[in-house]
Amino acid sequence: MQRADSKSQHHELTLLTHSGYTLPASRVWLHDKDITGASTHLAFAASERAIVDEFWRAALQVGGRDNGEPGIRHHYHSHYYAAYILDPDGNNIEVVCQKG
């Protein structure tokens, strides 16, 4: 994965909060691809499913593109509740709650 300058990193991480909503995440996962310039998958852990829902609604309101509405992702496990948004650069932003 290419290192981005600190300005780019800041832009990518604050994109989620332009609506004024702050995502209370204790863990962050960053999945890069083998291809230079390919999109990135950034995942935030949420403590409640309502946070996943609120993230998805807020991100759509500020111009994010739906890449998977909130719901259970059984292909991971029965408590994997997630939503996905594509940011303006095509990065896949996920918020997931894994509590039952």
Side-chain angles (χ1 to χ4, degrees):
M1 184 169 128
Q2 279 186 305
R3 287 191 181 270
D5 64 277
S6 60
K7 185 177 180 182
S8 296
Q9 289 174 350
H10 178 72
H11 171 73
E12 290 173 11
L13 295 177
T14 58
L15 185 62
L16 296 173
T17 62
H18 286 330
S19 67
Y21 176 70
T22 302
L23 182 66
S26 59
R27 291 188 243 172
V28 175
W29 294 275
L30 182 63
H31 301 279
D32 62 339
K33 306 237 170 115
D34 293 333
I35 303 166
T36 301
S39 64
T40 298
H41 179 180
L42 181 62
F44 294 89
S47 59
E48 302 172 10
R49 290 181 179 187
I51 293 170
V52 175
D53 297 340
E54 189 172 341
F55 154 77
W56 185 75
R57 281 191 302 273
L60 288 176
Q61 289 176 352
V62 296
R65 289 183 293 138
D66 179 23
N67 196 32
E69 65 183 35
I72 296 290
R73 305 299 191 246
H74 290 286
H75 56 281
Y76 293 125
H77 60 75
S78 63
H79 298 296
Y80 198 100
Y81 187 86
Y84 305 87
I85 292 288
L86 296 175
D87 75 5
D89 295 323
N91 296 304
N92 186 31
I93 313 298
E94 173 187 0
V95 176
V96 58
C97 177
Q98 298 189 56
K99 295 181 179 179

Coordinates of all heavy atoms in Angstrom, one line a residue:
M1 N 0.8 -1.2 0.0 CA 0.0 0.0 0.0 C 0.9 1.2 0.0 O 1.8 1.3 0.7 CB -0.9 0.0 1.2 CG -1.9 1.1 1.3 SD -3.0 0.8 2.6 CE -2.9 2.3 3.5
Q2 N 0.5 2.2 -0.8 CA 1.3 3.4 -0.8 C 0.9 4.3 0.4 O -0.2 4.3 0.8 CB 0.9 4.3 -2.1 CG 1.6 3.8 -3.3 CD 1.3 4.8 -4.4 OE1 0.1 5.0 -4.7 NE2 2.3 5.4 -5.0
R3 N 1.9 4.9 0.9 CA 1.7 5.9 2.0 C 1.1 7.2 1.4 O 1.7 7.7 0.5 CB 3.0 6.2 2.8 CG 3.4 5.0 3.6 CD 4.5 5.6 4.6 NE 5.0 4.5 5.4 CZ 4.5 4.2 6.6 NH1 3.5 4.8 7.0 NH2 5.0 3.2 7.3
A4 N 0.1 7.7 2.0 CA -0.4 9.0 1.6 C 0.2 10.0 2.5 O 0.6 9.7 3.6 CB -1.9 9.0 1.8
D5 N 0.2 11.3 2.0 CA 0.7 12.3 2.9 C -0.3 12.6 4.0 O -1.4 12.1 3.9 CB 1.0 13.6 2.1 CG -0.3 14.2 1.5 OD1 -0.7 13.7 0.4 OD2 -0.9 15.0 2.1
S6 N 0.1 13.2 5.1 CA -0.8 13.4 6.2 C -2.1 14.2 5.9 O -3.1 13.9 6.4 CB 0.0 14.1 7.4 OG 0.4 15.4 7.0
K7 N -2.0 15.1 4.9 CA -3.2 15.8 4.5 C -4.2 14.9 3.9 O -5.4 14.9 4.2 CB -2.8 16.9 3.5 CG -4.0 17.8 3.2 CD -3.5 18.9 2.3 CE -4.7 19.8 1.9 NZ -4.3 20.9 1.0
S8 N -3.8 13.9 3.0 CA -4.7 13.0 2.4 C -5.3 12.0 3.5 O -6.5 11.7 3.4 CB -3.9 12.1 1.4 OG -3.5 12.9 0.3
Q9 N -4.5 11.6 4.4 CA -5.0 10.7 5.4 C -6.0 11.4 6.2 O -7.1 10.8 6.5 CB -3.8 10.2 6.3 CG -2.9 9.2 5.6 CD -1.7 8.9 6.5 OE1 -1.5 9.5 7.5 NE2 -0.9 7.9 6.0
H10 N -5.8 12.6 6.6 CA -6.8 13.4 7.4 C -8.1 13.5 6.6 O -9.1 13.3 7.2 CB -6.2 14.7 7.7 CG -7.1 15.6 8.5 ND1 -7.5 15.3 9.8 CD2 -7.9 16.7 8.2 CE1 -8.3 16.2 10.2 NE2 -8.6 17.1 9.2
H11 N -8.0 13.8 5.4 CA -9.2 14.0 4.5 C -10.0 12.7 4.5 O -11.2 12.7 4.7 CB -8.8 14.3 3.1 CG -10.0 14.3 2.2 ND1 -11.0 15.2 2.2 CD2 -10.3 13.4 1.2 CE1 -11.9 14.9 1.3 NE2 -11.5 13.8 0.6
E12 N -9.4 11.5 4.3 CA -10.1 10.3 4.3 C -10.8 9.9 5.6 O -11.9 9.4 5.6 CB -9.1 9.2 3.9 CG -8.7 9.3 2.4 CD -7.6 8.3 2.1 OE1 -7.3 7.3 2.9 OE2 -7.0 8.4 1.0
L13 N -10.1 10.2 6.7 CA -10.6 9.8 8.0 C -11.7 10.8 8.5 O -12.6 10.4 9.3 CB -9.5 9.7 9.0 CG -8.5 8.6 8.7 CD1 -7.4 8.6 9.8 CD2 -9.2 7.2 8.7
T14 N -11.7 12.1 8.1 CA -12.7 13.0 8.5 C -13.9 13.1 7.6 O -14.9 13.7 7.9 CB -12.1 14.4 8.7 OG1 -11.6 14.8 7.5 CG2 -11.1 14.4 9.8
L15 N -13.9 12.4 6.5 CA -15.0 12.4 5.5 C -16.3 11.9 6.1 O -17.3 12.4 5.8 CB -14.6 11.5 4.3 CG -15.6 11.5 3.1 CD1 -15.7 12.9 2.6 CD2 -15.1 10.6 2.1
L16 N -16.1 11.0 7.1 CA -17.3 10.4 7.7 C -18.0 11.4 8.6 O -19.2 11.2 8.9 CB -16.9 9.2 8.6 CG -16.3 8.1 7.8 CD1 -15.8 7.0 8.8 CD2 -17.4 7.5 6.9
T17 N -17.4 12.5 9.0 CA -18.0 13.4 10.0 C -18.4 14.7 9.5 O -18.7 15.6 10.2 CB -17.0 13.6 11.2 OG1 -15.8 14.2 10.7 CG2 -16.6 12.3 11.9
H18 N -18.5 14.9 8.2 CA -18.9 16.2 7.6 C -20.3 16.6 8.0 O -20.7 17.7 8.0 CB -18.8 16.2 6.1 CG -17.3 16.3 5.6 ND1 -16.4 16.9 6.3 CD2 -16.8 15.8 4.5 CE1 -15.2 16.9 5.6 NE2 -15.4 16.2 4.5
S19 N -21.1 15.6 8.3 CA -22.5 15.9 8.7 C -22.6 16.3 10.2 O -23.7 16.6 10.7 CB -23.4 14.7 8.5 OG -23.0 13.6 9.4
G20 N -21.5 16.3 10.9 CA -21.5 16.7 12.3 C -21.6 15.4 13.2 O -21.5 15.5 14.4
Y21 N -21.8 14.3 12.6 CA -21.9 13.0 13.3 C -20.5 12.5 13.6 O -19.7 12.4 12.7 CB -22.7 12.0 12.5 CG -22.8 10.7 13.2 CD1 -23.5 10.5 14.4 CD2 -22.1 9.6 12.7 CE1 -23.6 9.3 15.0 CE2 -22.2 8.3 13.4 CZ -22.9 8.2 14.5 OH -23.0 7.0 15.1
T22 N -20.2 12.1 14.8 CA -18.9 11.6 15.2 C -19.1 10.1 15.4 O -20.0 9.7 16.2 CB -18.4 12.2 16.5 OG1 -18.3 13.6 16.2 CG2 -17.0 11.6 16.8
L23 N -18.3 9.3 14.8 CA -18.4 7.8 14.9 C -17.6 7.4 16.1 O -16.4 7.5 16.1 CB -17.9 7.2 13.6 CG -18.0 5.7 13.6 CD1 -19.5 5.2 13.6 CD2 -17.3 5.2 12.3
P24 N -18.2 6.8 17.1 CA -17.5 6.3 18.3 C -17.0 4.9 18.0 O -17.6 3.9 18.3 CB -18.5 6.3 19.4 CG -19.8 6.1 18.7 CD -19.7 6.7 17.3
A25 N -15.8 4.8 17.5 CA -15.2 3.5 17.1 C -13.9 3.3 17.9 O -13.1 4.2 18.0 CB -14.9 3.5 15.6
S26 N -13.8 2.1 18.5 CA -12.6 1.8 19.3 C -11.6 1.1 18.4 O -10.5 1.0 18.8 CB -13.0 1.0 20.5 OG -13.6 -0.2 20.1
R27 N -12.0 0.5 17.3 CA -11.1 -0.2 16.4 C -11.3 0.2 15.0 O -12.5 0.5 14.6 CB -11.4 -1.7 16.5 CG -11.0 -2.3 17.8 CD -11.1 -3.8 17.7 NE -12.1 -4.2 18.6 CZ -12.5 -5.4 18.7 NH1 -12.2 -6.4 17.9 NH2 -13.4 -5.8 19.6
V28 N -10.3 0.2 14.2 CA -10.3 0.6 12.8 C -9.6 -0.5 12.0 O -8.5 -0.8 12.4 CB -9.7 2.0 12.6 CG1 -9.7 2.3 11.1 CG2 -10.5 3.1 13.3
W29 N -10.1 -0.9 10.9 CA -9.5 -1.9 10.0 C -9.3 -1.2 8.7 O -10.2 -0.5 8.2 CB -10.3 -3.1 9.8 CG -10.5 -3.9 11.0 CD1 -9.6 -4.9 11.5 CD2 -11.5 -3.9 11.9 NE1 -10.1 -5.4 12.7 CE2 -11.3 -4.9 13.0 CE3 -12.7 -3.2 12.0 CZ2 -12.2 -5.1 14.0 CZ3 -13.6 -3.4 13.1 CH2 -13.3 -4.3 14.0
L30 N -8.1 -1.3 8.1 CA -7.8 -0.8 6.8 C -7.3 -1.9 5.9 O -6.3 -2.5 6.2 CB -6.7 0.3 7.0 CG -6.3 1.0 5.7 CD1 -7.4 1.8 5.1 CD2 -5.1 2.0 6.0
H31 N -8.1 -2.2 4.8 CA -7.7 -3.2 3.9 C -7.3 -2.6 2.6 O -8.1 -2.0 1.9 CB -8.9 -4.1 3.7 CG -9.5 -4.8 4.9 ND1 -8.9 -5.9 5.5 CD2 -10.5 -4.4 5.7 CE1 -9.5 -6.2 6.6 NE2 -10.5 -5.3 6.7
D32 N -6.0 -2.8 2.2 CA -5.6 -2.3 1.0 C -5.6 -3.4 -0.1 O -5.9 -4.5 0.2 CB -4.1 -1.7 1.1 CG -3.1 -2.7 1.5 OD1 -3.5 -3.8 2.0 OD2 -1.9 -2.5 1.3
K33 N -5.3 -3.0 -1.3 CA -5.3 -3.9 -2.4 C -3.9 -4.0 -3.0 O -3.1 -3.1 -2.8 CB -6.3 -3.4 -3.5 CG -7.7 -3.2 -2.9 CD -8.7 -3.9 -3.7 CE -10.0 -3.9 -2.9 NZ -11.1 -3.2 -3.5
D34 N -3.7 -5.0 -3.8 CA -2.3 -5.1 -4.4 C -2.1 -4.2 -5.5 O -0.9 -4.0 -5.9 CB -2.2 -6.6 -4.9 CG -2.1 -7.6 -3.7 OD1 -1.7 -7.2 -2.6 OD2 -2.5 -8.7 -4.0
I35 N -3.1 -3.6 -6.0 CA -3.0 -2.7 -7.2 C -2.8 -1.2 -6.8 O -3.7 -0.7 -6.0 CB -4.2 -2.8 -8.1 CG1 -4.4 -4.3 -8.5 CG2 -4.1 -1.9 -9.3 CD1 -5.8 -4.5 -9.1
T36 N -1.8 -0.6 -7.2 CA -1.6 0.8 -6.8 C -2.7 1.7 -7.4 O -3.1 1.5 -8.5 CB -0.2 1.4 -7.4 OG1 0.8 0.5 -6.9 CG2 0.0 2.8 -7.1
G37 N -3.3 2.5 -6.5 CA -4.4 3.4 -7.0 C -5.7 2.8 -6.8 O -6.7 3.4 -7.1
A38 N -5.8 1.5 -6.4 CA -7.1 0.8 -6.2 C -7.7 1.4 -4.9 O -7.1 1.9 -4.1 CB -6.9 -0.7 -6.1
S39 N -9.0 1.2 -4.9 CA -9.8 1.7 -3.7 C -9.4 0.9 -2.4 O -8.8 -0.1 -2.5 CB -11.3 1.6 -3.9 OG -11.6 0.2 -4.1
T40 N -9.7 1.5 -1.3 CA -9.3 0.9 0.0 C -10.6 0.6 0.7 O -11.6 1.3 0.5 CB -8.5 1.9 0.8 OG1 -7.3 2.2 0.1 CG2 -8.2 1.4 2.2
H41 N -10.6 -0.4 1.6 CA -11.7 -0.8 2.4 C -11.3 -0.4 3.9 O -10.4 -0.9 4.4 CB -12.0 -2.3 2.3 CG -13.1 -2.7 3.2 ND1 -13.5 -4.1 3.2 CD2 -13.9 -2.1 4.0 CE1 -14.5 -4.2 4.1 NE2 -14.8 -3.0 4.6
L42 N -12.1 0.6 4.4 CA -11.8 1.1 5.8 C -13.0 0.7 6.6 O -14.2 1.0 6.3 CB -11.6 2.6 5.7 CG -11.3 3.3 7.0 CD1 -10.0 2.8 7.6 CD2 -11.3 4.8 6.8
A43 N -12.8 -0.1 7.7 CA -13.9 -0.5 8.5 C -13.7 0.0 10.0 O -12.7 -0.1 10.5 CB -13.9 -2.1 8.5
F44 N -14.9 0.4 10.5 CA -14.9 0.9 11.9 C -15.8 0.0 12.7 O -16.9 -0.4 12.3 CB -15.5 2.3 12.0 CG -14.7 3.4 11.3 CD1 -14.8 3.7 10.0 CD2 -13.7 4.1 12.1 CE1 -14.0 4.7 9.4 CE2 -12.9 5.1 11.5 CZ -13.1 5.3 10.1
A45 N -15.4 -0.3 13.9 CA -16.2 -1.1 14.8 C -17.2 -0.2 15.6 O -16.8 0.8 16.1 CB -15.3 -1.9 15.8
A46 N -18.4 -0.6 15.7 CA -19.4 0.1 16.4 C -19.9 -0.7 17.6 O -20.0 -1.9 17.5 CB -20.6 0.5 15.5
S47 N -20.3 -0.1 18.7 CA -20.8 -0.8 19.9 C -22.2 -1.2 19.8 O -22.7 -2.0 20.6 CB -20.5 0.1 21.1 OG -21.2 1.3 21.0
E48 N -23.0 -0.5 18.9 CA -24.4 -0.8 18.8 C -24.9 -0.7 17.3 O -24.3 0.0 16.5 CB -25.2 0.3 19.5 CG -24.9 0.4 21.0 CD -25.6 1.6 21.6 OE1 -26.5 2.2 20.9 OE2 -25.3 2.0 22.7
R49 N -25.9 -1.5 17.0 CA -26.4 -1.5 15.6 C -27.0 -0.2 15.2 O -26.9 0.2 14.1 CB -27.5 -2.6 15.5 CG -26.9 -4.0 15.5 CD -27.9 -5.0 15.4 NE -27.3 -6.4 15.4 CZ -28.0 -7.5 15.2 NH1 -29.3 -7.4 14.9 NH2 -27.4 -8.6 15.2
A50 N -27.5 0.6 16.2 CA -28.1 1.9 15.9 C -27.0 2.8 15.3 O -27.3 3.7 14.5 CB -28.7 2.5 17.1
I51 N -25.8 2.7 15.7 CA -24.7 3.5 15.2 C -24.4 3.2 13.8 O -24.2 4.1 13.0 CB -23.4 3.3 16.1 CG1 -23.6 3.8 17.5 CG2 -22.2 3.9 15.4 CD1 -22.5 3.4 18.5
V52 N -24.5 1.9 13.4 CA -24.4 1.5 12.0 C -25.4 2.2 11.2 O -25.2 2.7 10.1 CB -24.4 -0.1 11.9 CG1 -24.4 -0.5 10.4 CG2 -23.3 -0.7 12.7
D53 N -26.7 2.1 11.6 CA -27.8 2.7 10.9 C -27.6 4.2 10.8 O -27.8 4.8 9.7 CB -29.1 2.5 11.7 CG -29.5 1.0 11.8 OD1 -29.0 0.2 11.0 OD2 -30.3 0.7 12.7
E54 N -27.2 4.9 11.8 CA -27.0 6.3 11.8 C -25.9 6.7 10.9 O -26.0 7.7 10.1 CB -26.8 6.9 13.2 CG -26.8 8.4 13.3 CD -26.7 8.9 14.7 OE1 -27.0 8.1 15.6 OE2 -26.4 10.1 14.9
F55 N -24.8 6.0 10.9 CA -23.7 6.2 10.0 C -24.1 6.2 8.5 O -23.9 7.1 7.7 CB -22.5 5.2 10.2 CG -21.7 5.0 9.0 CD1 -20.7 5.9 8.6 CD2 -21.9 3.9 8.2 CE1 -20.0 5.7 7.4 CE2 -21.2 3.6 7.0 CZ -20.2 4.6 6.6
W56 N -24.9 5.1 8.2 CA -25.3 4.9 6.8 C -26.2 6.1 6.3 O -26.0 6.6 5.3 CB -26.0 3.6 6.7 CG -26.4 3.2 5.3 CD1 -25.6 2.7 4.3 CD2 -27.7 3.2 4.8 NE1 -26.4 2.4 3.2 CE2 -27.7 2.7 3.5 CE3 -29.0 3.6 5.3 CZ2 -28.8 2.6 2.7 CZ3 -30.1 3.4 4.5 CH2 -30.0 3.0 3.2
R57 N -27.2 6.5 7.2 CA -28.1 7.6 6.8 C -27.3 8.9 6.7 O -27.5 9.6 5.7 CB -29.2 7.7 7.9 CG -30.3 6.7 7.7 CD -31.5 7.1 8.6 NE -31.1 7.2 10.0 CZ -31.1 6.2 10.9 NH1 -31.4 5.0 10.5 NH2 -30.8 6.3 12.2
A58 N -26.4 9.2 7.6 CA -25.7 10.4 7.6 C -24.7 10.5 6.4 O -24.6 11.5 5.7 CB -24.9 10.6 8.9
A59 N -24.1 9.4 6.1 CA -23.1 9.3 4.9 C -23.9 9.5 3.6 O -23.4 10.2 2.7 CB -22.4 8.0 4.9
L60 N -25.1 9.0 3.5 CA -25.9 9.2 2.3 C -26.3 10.7 2.1 O -26.3 11.2 1.0 CB -27.1 8.3 2.2 CG -26.9 6.8 2.0 CD1 -28.2 6.1 2.1 CD2 -26.2 6.6 0.7
Q61 N -26.6 11.3 3.2 CA -27.0 12.7 3.2 C -25.9 13.7 2.8 O -26.2 14.7 2.3 CB -27.5 13.1 4.6 CG -28.8 12.5 4.9 CD -29.3 12.9 6.3 OE1 -28.6 13.5 7.1 NE2 -30.5 12.5 6.7
V62 N -24.6 13.3 3.0 CA -23.5 14.1 2.6 C -22.8 13.7 1.3 O -21.7 14.1 1.0 CB -22.5 14.3 3.7 CG1 -23.1 15.0 4.9 CG2 -21.8 13.0 4.1
G63 N -23.5 12.8 0.6 CA -23.0 12.5 -0.8 C -22.3 11.1 -0.9 O -21.8 10.8 -2.0
G64 N -22.3 10.3 0.1 CA -21.8 9.0 0.0 C -22.7 8.2 -0.9 O -23.9 8.4 -1.0
R65 N -22.1 7.1 -1.6 CA -22.9 6.3 -2.4 C -23.1 4.9 -1.7 O -22.2 4.3 -1.1 CB -22.2 6.0 -3.7 CG -22.2 7.2 -4.6 CD -21.6 6.9 -6.0 NE -20.2 6.7 -5.8 CZ -19.5 5.7 -6.4 NH1 -20.1 4.9 -7.3 NH2 -18.2 5.5 -6.2
D66 N -24.4 4.5 -1.7 CA -24.7 3.2 -1.0 C -23.9 2.1 -1.6 O -23.9 1.9 -2.8 CB -26.2 3.0 -1.1 CG -26.7 1.7 -0.5 OD1 -26.0 1.2 0.4 OD2 -27.7 1.2 -0.9
N67 N -23.3 1.3 -0.7 CA -22.6 0.1 -1.2 C -23.0 -1.1 -0.3 O -22.3 -2.1 -0.3 CB -21.1 0.3 -1.1 CG -20.3 -0.8 -1.9 OD1 -20.8 -1.2 -3.0 ND2 -19.1 -1.1 -1.5
G68 N -24.2 -1.0 0.3 CA -24.7 -2.1 1.2 C -25.4 -1.5 2.4 O -24.8 -1.0 3.3
E69 N -26.7 -1.5 2.3 CA -27.5 -0.9 3.4 C -27.3 -1.8 4.7 O -26.8 -2.9 4.7 CB -29.0 -0.9 3.1 CG -29.6 -2.2 2.9 CD -31.1 -2.1 2.4 OE1 -31.4 -1.1 1.7 OE2 -31.9 -2.9 2.8
P70 N -27.6 -1.2 5.9 CA -27.4 -1.9 7.1 C -28.2 -3.2 7.2 O -29.3 -3.3 6.7 CB -28.0 -0.9 8.2 CG -28.0 0.4 7.5 CD -28.2 0.2 6.1
G71 N -27.5 -4.2 7.7 CA -28.1 -5.5 7.8 C -27.1 -6.6 8.2 O -25.9 -6.3 8.3
I72 N -27.6 -7.7 8.5 CA -26.8 -8.9 8.9 C -26.0 -9.4 7.7 O -26.6 -9.6 6.6 CB -27.6 -10.0 9.5 CG1 -28.3 -9.5 10.8 CG2 -26.8 -11.3 9.8 CD1 -27.3 -9.3 12.0
R73 N -24.8 -9.7 7.8 CA -24.0 -10.3 6.8 C -23.7 -11.7 7.2 O -22.7 -12.0 7.8 CB -22.7 -9.5 6.5 CG -22.9 -8.0 6.2 CD -23.7 -7.8 5.0 NE -23.7 -6.4 4.6 CZ -24.7 -5.6 4.6 NH1 -25.9 -6.1 5.0 NH2 -24.7 -4.4 4.2
H74 N -24.6 -12.6 6.9 CA -24.5 -14.0 7.3 C -23.2 -14.7 6.8 O -22.8 -15.7 7.4 CB -25.7 -14.8 6.9 CG -27.0 -14.4 7.6 ND1 -27.2 -14.8 8.9 CD2 -28.0 -13.7 7.2 CE1 -28.4 -14.3 9.3 NE2 -28.9 -13.6 8.3
H75 N -22.7 -14.3 5.7 CA -21.5 -14.9 5.1 C -20.3 -14.7 6.0 O -19.3 -15.4 5.9 CB -21.2 -14.5 3.7 CG -21.1 -13.0 3.5 ND1 -22.2 -12.2 3.4 CD2 -20.0 -12.2 3.4 CE1 -21.8 -10.9 3.3 NE2 -20.4 -10.9 3.2
Y76 N -20.4 -13.7 7.0 CA -19.3 -13.6 8.0 C -19.7 -14.4 9.3 O -19.0 -15.2 9.7 CB -19.1 -12.1 8.3 CG -18.5 -11.3 7.2 CD1 -19.1 -10.2 6.7 CD2 -17.3 -11.7 6.5 CE1 -18.6 -9.5 5.6 CE2 -16.8 -11.0 5.5 CZ -17.4 -9.9 5.0 OH -16.9 -9.2 4.0
H77 N -20.8 -14.0 9.9 CA -21.4 -14.7 11.0 C -22.8 -14.1 11.3 O -23.1 -13.0 10.8 CB -20.5 -14.8 12.2 CG -20.1 -13.5 12.8 ND1 -20.9 -12.8 13.6 CD2 -18.9 -12.9 12.8 CE1 -20.3 -11.7 14.0 NE2 -19.0 -11.7 13.5
S78 N -23.5 -14.7 12.2 CA -24.9 -14.4 12.5 C -25.1 -13.0 13.2 O -26.2 -12.5 13.3 CB -25.6 -15.5 13.2 OG -25.0 -15.7 14.5
H79 N -24.0 -12.5 13.7 CA -24.1 -11.2 14.5 C -23.4 -10.1 13.8 O -23.2 -9.0 14.3 CB -23.5 -11.3 15.9 CG -24.3 -12.3 16.7 ND1 -25.6 -12.1 17.1 CD2 -23.9 -13.5 17.3 CE1 -26.0 -13.2 17.8 NE2 -25.0 -14.0 17.9
Y80 N -22.9 -10.3 12.5 CA -22.2 -9.3 11.8 C -23.1 -8.3 11.1 O -23.6 -8.6 10.0 CB -21.3 -10.0 10.7 CG -20.1 -9.1 10.2 CD1 -18.8 -9.3 10.7 CD2 -20.3 -8.2 9.2 CE1 -17.8 -8.6 10.2 CE2 -19.3 -7.4 8.8 CZ -18.0 -7.6 9.3 OH -17.0 -6.9 8.8
Y81 N -23.4 -7.2 11.8 CA -24.4 -6.2 11.3 C -23.5 -5.0 10.8 O -22.8 -4.4 11.5 CB -25.3 -5.8 12.4 CG -26.4 -4.8 12.0 CD1 -27.6 -5.4 11.6 CD2 -26.3 -3.5 12.1 CE1 -28.6 -4.6 11.2 CE2 -27.3 -2.6 11.8 CZ -28.5 -3.2 11.3 OH -29.5 -2.4 10.9
A82 N -23.6 -4.8 9.5 CA -22.8 -3.8 8.8 C -23.5 -3.0 7.8 O -24.6 -3.4 7.3 CB -21.6 -4.5 8.2
A83 N -22.9 -1.8 7.5 CA -23.4 -1.0 6.3 C -22.1 -0.5 5.6 O -21.1 -0.3 6.2 CB -24.2 0.2 6.9
Y84 N -22.3 -0.2 4.3 CA -21.1 0.1 3.5 C -21.5 1.4 2.6 O -22.6 1.4 2.1 CB -20.7 -1.0 2.5 CG -20.5 -2.3 3.2 CD1 -21.5 -3.2 3.5 CD2 -19.2 -2.6 3.6 CE1 -21.2 -4.4 4.2 CE2 -18.9 -3.8 4.3 CZ -19.9 -4.7 4.5 OH -19.7 -5.9 5.2
I85 N -20.5 2.3 2.5 CA -20.7 3.5 1.7 C -19.4 3.6 0.9 O -18.3 3.4 1.4 CB -20.8 4.7 2.6 CG1 -22.2 4.7 3.4 CG2 -20.7 6.0 1.9 CD1 -23.4 4.9 2.6
L86 N -19.6 4.1 -0.3 CA -18.4 4.5 -1.2 C -18.2 6.0 -1.1 O -19.2 6.7 -1.2 CB -18.7 4.1 -2.6 CG -18.8 2.6 -2.9 CD1 -19.1 2.4 -4.4 CD2 -17.5 1.9 -2.6
D87 N -17.0 6.4 -0.7 CA -16.7 7.8 -0.6 C -16.4 8.3 -2.0 O -16.4 7.6 -3.0 CB -15.6 8.1 0.3 CG -14.2 7.7 -0.2 OD1 -14.0 7.3 -1.4 OD2 -13.2 7.8 0.6
P88 N -16.2 9.7 -2.2 CA -16.0 10.2 -3.5 C -14.9 9.7 -4.3 O -14.9 9.7 -5.5 CB -15.8 11.7 -3.2 CG -16.5 12.0 -2.0 CD -16.3 10.7 -1.2
D89 N -13.9 9.1 -3.6 CA -12.7 8.5 -4.3 C -13.0 7.0 -4.6 O -12.1 6.3 -5.1 CB -11.5 8.6 -3.5 CG -11.1 10.1 -3.3 OD1 -11.2 10.8 -4.3 OD2 -10.6 10.5 -2.2
G90 N -14.1 6.4 -4.2 CA -14.4 5.0 -4.5 C -14.0 4.1 -3.4 O -14.1 2.9 -3.5
N91 N -13.5 4.7 -2.2 CA -13.1 3.8 -1.1 C -14.4 3.3 -0.4 O -15.4 4.0 -0.3 CB -12.3 4.6 -0.1 CG -11.0 5.1 -0.7 OD1 -10.2 4.3 -1.2 ND2 -10.8 6.4 -0.7
N92 N -14.3 2.0 0.0 CA -15.4 1.4 0.7 C -15.3 1.6 2.2 O -14.4 1.1 2.8 CB -15.4 -0.1 0.4 CG -16.6 -0.8 0.9 OD1 -17.7 -0.3 1.0 ND2 -16.4 -2.1 1.2
I93 N -16.2 2.4 2.7 CA -16.2 2.7 4.2 C -17.3 1.8 4.8 O -18.5 1.8 4.4 CB -16.6 4.2 4.4 CG1 -15.7 5.1 3.5 CG2 -16.4 4.5 5.9 CD1 -14.2 5.0 3.7
E94 N -16.9 1.0 5.8 CA -17.8 0.1 6.5 C -17.9 0.4 8.0 O -16.9 0.8 8.6 CB -17.3 -1.3 6.4 CG -18.0 -2.4 7.2 CD -17.3 -3.7 7.2 OE1 -16.3 -3.9 6.5 OE2 -17.9 -4.6 7.8
V95 N -19.1 0.3 8.5 CA -19.2 0.4 10.0 C -19.9 -0.9 10.4 O -20.9 -1.3 9.8 CB -20.0 1.6 10.5 CG1 -20.3 1.6 12.0 CG2 -19.3 2.9 10.1
V96 N -19.4 -1.6 11.4 CA -19.9 -2.9 11.7 C -20.0 -3.1 13.3 O -19.2 -2.6 14.0 CB -18.9 -4.1 11.2 CG1 -17.5 -3.9 11.7 CG2 -19.5 -5.4 11.5
C97 N -21.1 -3.7 13.6 CA -21.4 -4.1 15.0 C -21.5 -5.6 15.0 O -22.2 -6.2 14.3 CB -22.7 -3.5 15.5 SG -23.1 -4.0 17.2
Q98 N -20.7 -6.2 15.9 CA -20.6 -7.7 15.9 C -21.3 -8.3 17.2 O -21.0 -9.4 17.6 CB -19.2 -8.2 15.7 CG -18.7 -7.8 14.4 CD -17.4 -8.5 14.1 OE1 -17.2 -9.7 14.1 NE2 -16.4 -7.7 13.8
K99 N -22.1 -7.4 17.9 CA -22.8 -7.9 19.1 C -24.1 -8.5 18.7 O -24.8 -7.9 17.8 CB -22.9 -6.7 20.1 CG -21.6 -6.2 20.6 CD -21.8 -5.1 21.6 CE -20.4 -4.7 22.0 NZ -20.5 -3.6 23.0
G100 N -24.6 -9.5 19.4 CA -25.8 -10.1 19.2 C -27.0 -9.4 19.7 O -27.0 -8.4 20.3

